[in-house]
Amino acid sequence: MLESTPRSMVKEGYYFGIPPLLMGGVAYLLQWNVAAVVLALLALFVFSFFRDPEREIPAEPGAVVSPGDGRVVVVTEEENAGRPGKRVSIFLAVWNVHVNRSPAAGTITKMDYRRGKFLAAMRERASVENEQNVFTLSTEAGEIVFKQIAGLIARRVVSWKKAGEKVARGERIGLVRFGSRVDLWVPKEAEILVKVGENVKGGSSVLARWPAKPTAGKLGEASAAEADANLTATGKRS
C-alpha cells in the first residue's frame, strides 16, 4: 500500500534551507567565492536532510513497521508500565530521512512530551534521559509505545499528531531535527524480526509481527459461516 499524498520535502526544509541559499547568492555576487560555495553546500545539506520520500507500506496483517530510518542499535527485553515486552532502538544519522511514521494503525491514546538532556543518541541512556515525545498507540492487537528522541545535535522533537487522533500504518507523524533516535516497544507476545546492526526504513521495514487475536464474536461468525459452507457442500442444505 503506497501512501497517497506525494511529497518530496517537509516545509521546514524551506525555512532552514532558503536563507543560506540566498546568502550564498549574495556572496557570489560580491565575489566571496569560498563563502558562496560553503553556503550553497549548507543549503543542499539542509534540503537533503528534510527530504520526505514516499514509502511502500506493507499490507500484511500484524506487521509492525519501523518508526524511522536508520540502524538498529538495541534489541532488548524491557518492561513498560509493569508489562513485559521488547524494545527496538534505531539511530538516525544526519544523512538519514528524519520524517517519523506510525508503526501500526490505531488511535493515539496518549502523547507525552518529556524534557530532558541531549546525550548522543547512540548512547543507551538516551532512551530514558533525552528530550522526547512518547506515543501510546492502541491497535487491534493491543497497545504499543514508540518514541521520538532528541540527540546531541537534534534539539527539537516535532509531532504532527495529538492524543485522540487515528493513524494508519506508516502514516507520517512528525520529525526530529539533525540526528536522533526512535524507540519502539511491543509486548512480549510480538515476534521481533530485526537484529542489531540492520538498516531499516521508516514505514516500510517490518520490525515485528503481532497479529490481532480474533474476538469471540468474530470466531463465532467464522465458525457459523464454515459450518454453513460444509452443510451446503455435503448437500444437507440447499
Side-chain angles (χ1 to χ4, degrees), residues 20-33:
L21 186 62
L22 293 176
M23 292 170 63
V26 172
Y28 176 76
L29 292 175
L30 295 174
Q31 297 186 345
W32 298 344
N33 294 333

Side-chain angles (χ1 to χ4, degrees), residues 211-227:
K213 295 179 180 179
T215 62
K218 288 182 178 179
L219 279 173
E221 290 173 8
S223 298
E226 184 177 357

Side-chain angles (χ1 to χ4, degrees), residues 3 54 189:
E3 204 172 279
E54 292 298 329
E189 295 84 8

Side-chain angles (χ1 to χ4, degrees), residues 145-163:
V145 177
F146 60 101
K147 300 179 180 181
Q148 298 174 290
I149 303 171
L152 181 64
I153 301 175
R155 297 285 171 145
R156 181 84 188 276
V157 286
V158 180
S159 170
W160 300 329
K161 303 293 181 181
K162 58 181 183 294

Side-chain angles (χ1 to χ4, degrees), residues 190-220:
E191 178 190 5
I192 301 297
L193 303 177
V194 293
K195 59 182 183 293
V196 172
E198 287 189 34
N199 291 311
V200 294
K201 290 187 176 181
S204 61
S205 296
V206 180
L207 300 187
R209 185 177 292 111
W210 190 31
K213 295 179 180 179
T215 62
K218 288 182 178 179
L219 279 173

Side-chain angles (χ1 to χ4, degrees), residues 15-80:
Y15 302 151
F16 288 93
I18 289 178
L21 186 62
L22 293 176
M23 292 170 63
V26 172
Y28 176 76
L29 292 175
L30 295 174
Q31 297 186 345
W32 298 344
N33 294 333
V34 174
V37 170
V38 170
L39 288 166
L41 291 174
L42 177 60
L44 289 175
F45 165 75
V46 171
F47 290 142
S48 175
F49 178 87
F50 285 102
R51 68 193 184 279
D52 185 13
E54 292 298 329
R55 290 289 161 79
E56 194 75 25
I57 312 299
E60 61 190 86
V64 181
V65 300
S66 178
D69 287 33
R71 184 166 60 89
V72 176
V73 292
V74 175
V75 177
T76 186
E77 294 186 2
E78 182 176 276
E79 286 192 354
N80 184 280

